[in-house]
Amino acid sequence: MPKLTIDGREVEVDPGATILDAAEKLGIEIPTMCYLRGHEATTSCMVCVVKVVGSRGLVPSCGTPACDGMQVESATEEVRDARRSALELLLSDHVGDCVGPCVMGCPAHMDIPQMIRQIAVGQLADAIATVKRDIALPAVLGRICPAPCENVCRRAQHDQAVSICLLKRHVADVDLSSDEPYTPQCAEANGKRVAIIGAGPAGLAAAYYLQQEGFECVVVDEHDEPGGMLRYGVPDGKLPHDVLAREIAQIEKLGVRFRLGIRVGKAISMDEVRKQFDAVFVAVGEMNEGDAESLHLDPSDKIEVDGATYVTHVPGVFAGGDAVRRRRMAVRAVADGKEAARSIAQYLADQEVIGPERRFNSRMGKVSESEMAIFLQSGSPKPRTKPFGVAEAFSIAEARTESLRCLHCDCRKPDACLLRQHAQTYGARQSRYKADRRSFVQQTQHPDVIYEPGKCIDCGICIQIASEAGEKLGLTFVGRGFDVRVAVPFGETLAEGLCVAAERCVAACPTGALAFRDDRKPPPGTTQ
């Protein structure tokens, strides 16, 4: 049996095994996209390349036999650069958004399309959980947010944006008026304490997310009531105080404690706060003269903070919200609080403080009229819904009607897409190789599956699966050169090509090229 070394580690494999097989035996992870175990290796994506010492160039590990005495390198800079280039070539021909434009426009990057789809099918309990993963105060923001997400909503290119802000408010209001409003699960207390200076939107959000991770949060504020500028800077007619109070009560319900009427730097020193707590988050809103100095942050009345991690120059002290951004936008402050909570959690866990994960996102940009016509097939043709009641709030029926206008711009497999995962890992850039974007195409003839050729990497896995399943027509490659694409033979539809193997093809597709429709229910116990 052949013996070889990979990254200096020796391994013995069965005759006929590949370098990829050998690497897996050693627990060495090599990225793949066009390879599926048990199927013929097509070696088309070149993402799995490695270096065989003594040979010229790099070789695909999925299709290269392991030979006795072979020395393989899988993690050198040369190999990483080659994999990155392979991914960037695939991305240059990729047509599709990983997430909807609305998500990118939301400072908190809330999964807006998911919330909308849950409203459409009446799953409001799931919708509030989706919202609160990223927005700690949705009933508040549903009333005062300037809705930057709607400014970039693709539907606005056709008629008017989806009423995202009102839909968020609807979900939150229904939840708050229920007998048991949504309460996220909290981890067991870990013994670490965090002081949050300021009970405004940034401080409240930070407390909400840190408490869920097991940290004991104490919010200190100089006012008699929590809320910061939400309470003292927004008229009650625009943001009723009882709505704010009910959302704060949900945060307090998690175990967050409030110490009100206390001004840090006057009633208690910053040094004393730092002694009593393991970390401090400064979220005091707009700073007045002398505030920064009294907090021992900077004598120039400006908090010096890393914009990606919210770390200040004082160990264990973080800062965010209007104290550092001066944007006066509550949704941005809430996003700061959520993101700062991630950095604080990393700090208290003795991890490298890198802040929230910045995921790779493919973006299509503006679409043509013909492409818009395709997107419109996924949404209701009705105009923007206007609430009938005087309170400017949707009824359940109105919310559902409005939610059906969403065009589903986001990818149907954003978390399962290997192209996105590997692009993130290798720092690939979609714009590295300039090319004219192909037109967006969507084939919807199949009752369960949608096919988007612009996301296909021509791996051929679905062709092999369809053939093995005995499909009468199945799938094949059509075209030549750069124009080659996977399609059903003889110009037939996907419904005729995939009669029995559709589910297996969707599961095996390395991107979102083949995906289930929204209304298709996956088999019990599985999720897409």
Side-chain angles (χ1 to χ4, degrees):
M1 296 201 299
K3 289 183 179 179
L4 65 156
T5 62
I6 304 179
D7 299 337
R9 298 168 59 190
E10 187 174 81
V11 62
E12 186 177 66
V13 295
D14 294 331
T18 64
I19 293 176
L20 181 62
D21 294 328
E24 288 181 351
K25 192 170 182 180
L26 286 170
I28 295 173
E29 187 172 344
I30 294 177
T32 62
M33 288 194 66
C34 67
Y35 173 76
L36 183 65
R37 181 165 294 283
H39 295 76
E40 181 183 349
T42 60
T43 67
S44 62
C45 72
M46 299 302 286
V47 175
C48 70
V49 292
V50 295
K51 175 72 174 180
V52 176
V53 177
S55 64
R56 296 179 61 183
L58 305 177
V59 298
S61 61
C62 69
T64 304
C67 300
D68 197 53
M70 184 180 273
Q71 296 181 50
V72 177
E73 297 173 343
S74 76
T76 65
E77 278 303 307
E78 179 187 12
V79 169
R80 288 186 61 85
D81 287 346
R83 291 175 182 170
R84 185 183 303 112
S85 293
L87 290 164
E88 288 172 339
L89 283 168
L90 292 172
L91 288 168
S92 71
D93 198 37
H94 190 74
V95 184
D97 294 328
C98 292
V99 300
C102 55
V103 178
M104 299 302 294
C106 172
H109 299 306
M110 189 188 99
D111 192 347
I112 293 167
Q114 178 72 353
M115 174 197 74
I116 291 174
R117 289 193 284 274
Q118 288 165 336
I119 295 172
V121 294
Q123 296 173 345
L124 297 187
D126 293 332
I128 189 63
T130 295
V131 172
K132 285 207 161 185
R133 275 201 299 268
D134 300 296
I135 302 284
L137 301 164
V140 167
L141 293 182
R143 287 166 168 81
I144 66 170
C145 183
C149 54
E150 295 182 22
N151 293 337
V152 293
C153 173
R154 188 161 277 146
R155 179 78 191 227
Q157 188 178 324
H158 172 68
D159 47 18
Q160 287 182 290
V162 175
S163 296
I164 298 168
C165 208
L166 280 181
L167 288 173
K168 177 175 61 185
R169 170 180 167 174
H170 170 73
V171 170
D173 285 354
V174 169
D175 178 65
L176 284 178
S177 64
S178 66
D179 293 336
E180 295 185 15
Y182 171 74
T183 302
Q185 198 138 22
C186 292
E188 289 187 19
N190 53 37
K192 298 290 181 69
R193 305 177 75 224
V194 181
I196 296 170
I197 304 175
L204 291 169
Y208 181 74
Y209 294 106
L210 282 167
Q211 195 75 31
Q212 290 179 53
E213 293 200 50
F215 300 102
E216 180 187 344
C217 294
V218 177
V219 181
V220 183
D221 195 278
E222 63 179 317
H223 296 97
D224 294 330
E225 297 287 341
M229 68 91 171
L230 297 174
R231 177 175 290 276
Y232 298 102
V234 182
D236 183 69
K238 188 174 183 181
L239 174 58
H241 287 172
D242 70 304
V243 172
L244 174 61
R246 281 188 289 163
E247 291 220 296
I248 293 175
Q250 290 304 110
I251 295 174
E252 192 170 19
K253 186 178 178 182
L254 299 182
V256 175
R257 292 186 293 157
F258 290 87
R259 297 289 181 263
L260 303 172
I262 299 173
R263 183 180 176 87
V264 176
K266 186 176 181 181
I268 184 173
S269 71
M270 184 64 162
D271 285 340
E272 188 60 31
V273 173
R274 292 179 62 205
K275 288 177 184 177
Q276 294 181 24
F277 292 86
D278 299 290
V280 180
F281 179 50
V282 178
V284 293
E286 190 171 353
M287 303 282 282
N288 297 317
E289 184 177 352
D291 283 348
E293 187 173 1
S294 69
L295 294 174
H296 291 190
L297 292 174
D298 199 298
S300 65
D301 280 323
K302 290 182 181 179
I303 298 179
E304 298 297 328
V305 61
D306 184 305
T309 63
Y310 302 86
V311 171
T312 71
H313 69 280
V314 181
V317 177
F318 301 75
D322 285 351
V324 298
R325 292 191 186 272
R326 305 286 198 274
R327 292 188 185 174
R328 289 186 169 275
M329 190 161 66
V331 67
R332 179 63 261 179
V334 167
D336 276 9
K338 180 192 74 169
E339 294 178 352
R342 185 85 293 274
S343 291
I344 294 168
Q346 291 165 351
Y347 169 77
L348 294 177
D350 294 323
Q351 300 171 355
E352 181 185 2
V353 179
I354 58 175
E357 181 185 36
R358 310 291 179 182
R359 295 195 68 183
F360 172 86
N361 282 304
S362 168
R363 304 182 76 169
M364 284 176 58
K366 190 173 181 179
V367 300
S368 66
E369 288 188 17
S370 60
E371 291 173 325
M372 175 57 71
I374 297 173
F375 277 114
L376 287 168
Q377 294 175 11
S378 296
S380 165
K382 292 185 177 181
R384 185 176 169 116
T385 307
K386 294 183 179 180
F388 181 75
V390 294
E392 296 185 355
F394 281 142
S395 66
I396 289 179
E398 288 170 338
R400 184 174 187 277
T401 297
E402 181 62 16
S403 68
L404 292 173
R405 296 180 65 243
C406 178
L407 304 183
H408 203 326
C409 303
D410 57 321
C411 179
R412 286 170 167 79
K413 293 169 65 174
D415 298 319
C417 176
L418 295 180
L419 181 57
R420 187 187 193 197
Q421 291 175 22
H422 297 328
Q424 173 94 16
T425 300
Y426 287 88
R429 292 176 297 154
Q430 190 171 20
S431 60
R432 169 78 181 280
Y433 297 105
K434 298 291 185 181
D436 292 334
R437 180 171 70 78
R438 288 189 288 132
S439 296
F440 173 74
V441 176
Q442 199 174 68
Q443 296 182 15
T444 59
Q445 307 95 336
H446 196 284
D448 295 327
V449 174
I450 288 178
Y451 174 46
E452 296 182 15
K455 296 178 181 177
C456 178
I457 64 166
D458 303 325
C459 66
I461 292 174
C462 58
I463 296 175
Q464 293 188 49
I465 290 174
S467 176
E468 291 169 0
E471 292 281 11
K472 185 176 179 181
L473 287 177
L475 301 168
T476 189
F477 286 119
V478 298
R480 289 186 175 184
F482 290 112
D483 293 326
V484 70
R485 287 291 174 263
V486 172
V488 181
F490 313 117
E492 298 292 352
T493 68
L494 195 66
E496 293 163 308
L498 293 181
C499 297
V500 296
E503 189 168 311
R504 278 171 283 173
C505 287
V506 170
C509 181
T511 67
L514 285 169
F516 292 126
R517 292 175 177 274
D518 294 335
D519 55 3
R520 180 198 184 282
K521 295 182 179 179
T526 65
T527 58
Q528 185 179 327

